[in-house]
Amino acid sequence: MRRLTFVILLGLICILHAPSAAMAQGTGVSFGVLQTDTSQPVDIASDNMSVNQEDGSALLTGNVLIIQGEMRLSADNVLVVRRTEGNGIERLEARGNVLLVSGEDAAEAREADYTIQSGTVVMRGNVLLTQQGNTLGAEQMTVNMTTGNATLSGRVRTTLPGSGGN
């Protein structure tokens, strides 16, 4: 927990002291549990599903919930894209009211793409990351679910607490 707070504060110090460099490169933070096993099965639930027989994709709509280990992804709609060779899922494309939860951390956005094999989630559109009561906002956040590392970019913003007096 202290490591996470240290990483957030270090990122904020970089923003405050070198705003142009920090905005160009993005701000790094930790996200979720330290490691997620991306080889674990992906459980999917939704109200409706339409399957495209030509390419094997499936469109999930209504209360979509996707679970893989400690990671939970929910959205209005998710397109499940199957691998072109072999079995399994290549990526998930979530749209509308996207919520990604890993451990105690949560992030919201308009859309997210999750590439299963690399364990990379890219969230876009008014991203709001909540960690231990602190919030960070950005236009985009890229999370490596294997390492737990995340990068926020595109007008990163937060509010720092005051000193509390004395």
Side-chain angles (χ1 to χ4, degrees):
M1 296 296 193
R2 285 188 172 175
R3 177 180 163 263
L4 177 64
T5 302
F6 175 75
V7 171
I8 290 173
L9 290 175
L10 182 60
L12 293 174
I13 289 168
C14 290
I15 292 170
L16 295 173
H17 289 288
S20 59
M23 293 304 168
Q25 296 176 358
T27 299
V29 297
S30 294
F31 182 82
V33 295
L34 293 179
Q35 290 186 334
T36 298
D37 182 0
T38 57
S39 67
Q40 290 181 326
V42 178
D43 295 320
I44 300 172
S46 68
D47 291 340
N48 303 293
M49 180 175 73
S50 301
V51 177
N52 181 329
Q53 294 298 328
E54 292 177 17
D55 63 10
S57 66
L59 178 61
L60 307 162
T61 58
N63 299 309
V64 180
L65 177 61
I66 298 167
I67 300 171
Q68 184 181 37
E70 293 286 322
M71 190 266 309
R72 309 279 186 272
L73 176 70
S74 63
D76 294 338
N77 304 297
V78 175
L79 179 64
V80 178
V81 179
R82 298 192 54 83
R83 291 184 188 159
T84 53
E85 295 180 17
N87 291 328
I89 300 169
E90 180 178 324
R91 72 181 181 280
L92 304 169
E93 299 174 359
R95 302 295 182 260
N97 297 308
V98 176
L99 176 63
L100 177 67
V101 178
S102 181
E104 295 181 15
D105 297 345
E108 302 173 29
R110 280 195 297 261
E111 61 184 52
D113 294 328
Y114 178 29
T115 305
I116 304 294
Q117 188 169 7
S118 67
T120 303
V121 178
V122 178
M123 301 183 78
R124 290 176 297 279
N126 292 327
V127 177
L128 181 64
L129 171 62
T130 304
Q131 297 177 307
Q132 300 174 352
N134 298 313
T135 58
L136 288 165
E139 285 306 307
Q140 179 171 303
M141 179 174 78
T142 303
V143 181
N144 181 320
M145 298 303 291
T146 303
T147 64
N149 293 330
T151 302
L152 288 95
S153 59
R155 197 67 183 153
V156 179
R157 56 205 177 276
T158 190
T159 301
L160 299 173
S163 64
N166 310 8

